[in-house]
Amino acid sequence: MSDELQDYLEQAYAYEEAGNLKAALAACAAAISHDPQSALAYNFRGIVLEDLGLRVKALAAYKQAQQLDPDFTDAADNFHELKAELLNDELVILEVFSHPNEAYLLKARLESEGLWVFLANENFINMNWFLSNTVGGVKLLIKGTDTERAAEILYQEMAEEDWDEESLDEFDEIEAL
């Protein structure tokens, strides 16, 4: 592991311990940008996403860590434990958005793959957009039994993500705070 990758991961751990989960997620993104083959970075990204309540995205991150390093038992354990939890849930929050327009793209993507999707608070926030944060945003919900398929779809999208210079600049701005 390179020194720079280790620095990013140590920053992510420190932010997570301090409860600054968004900064921890940004540090994970920087670590992944530095070394896209780091199973450790993807596994920790999953932990932070799980802490944020984005459990299906966490499942996708754990799966990506497993694929990068099939012998990484922590990632496999995290994946299987979270999958078991999600299968017991009737509905699972996949993502939370500030505005319904943001949610429509992911909803359409998931529905095109045959998944059942529901947007909670969609109409209320369309009519009262200024109260979005008060009611917790638009929640994109899926069936608990669809979590593994949703994680595969999100995994595909994460694999296609490009971490450009602008993303890294945003991380540097967060780090400066």
Side-chain angles (χ1 to χ4, degrees), residues 28-140:
C28 288
I32 291 167
S33 176
H34 178 73
D35 182 0
Q37 301 301 312
S38 173
L40 192 60
Y42 280 104
N43 185 61
F44 195 70
R45 180 183 191 178
I47 291 168
V48 174
L49 288 166
E50 197 170 349
D51 289 346
L52 283 166
L54 302 172
R55 298 184 309 165
V56 177
K57 283 190 171 189
L59 198 67
Y62 294 143
K63 185 170 188 151
Q64 196 159 6
Q66 275 185 293
Q67 288 185 342
L68 290 171
D69 183 358
D71 297 328
F72 188 21
T73 57
D74 286 350
D77 292 345
N78 290 339
F79 177 83
H80 293 298
E81 287 174 19
L82 183 56
K83 181 181 171 187
E85 283 178 34
L86 292 173
L87 288 175
N88 290 331
D89 291 346
E90 289 185 29
L91 292 178
V92 176
I93 298 173
L94 178 63
E95 182 72 79
V96 179
F97 300 93
S98 296
H99 301 286
N101 293 344
E102 301 167 334
Y104 295 144
L105 290 173
L106 183 55
K107 180 179 190 269
R109 172 80 167 100
L110 294 172
E111 286 179 338
S112 74
E113 296 287 337
L115 275 70
W116 178 89
V117 180
F118 177 75
L119 296 177
N121 299 336
E122 169 190 16
N123 292 328
F124 180 82
I125 292 174
N126 266 331
M127 294 174 51
N128 304 291
W129 57 268
F130 53 91
L131 294 175
S132 179
N133 288 339
T134 307
V135 297
V138 178
K139 294 172 181 71
L140 190 141

Side-chain angles (χ1 to χ4, degrees), residues 119-169:
L119 296 177
N121 299 336
E122 169 190 16
N123 292 328
F124 180 82
I125 292 174
N126 266 331
M127 294 174 51
N128 304 291
W129 57 268
F130 53 91
L131 294 175
S132 179
N133 288 339
T134 307
V135 297
V138 178
K139 294 172 181 71
L140 190 141
L141 303 165
I142 61 171
K143 293 178 184 177
T145 54
D146 289 338
T147 55
E148 188 168 2
R149 180 69 186 121
E152 288 174 9
I153 294 166
L154 291 175
Y155 167 75
Q156 291 169 351
E157 290 181 7
M158 279 195 298
E160 295 168 1
E161 271 183 19
D162 242 354
W163 295 102
D164 57 9
E165 289 299 320
E166 187 176 316
S167 300
L168 294 176
D169 289 343

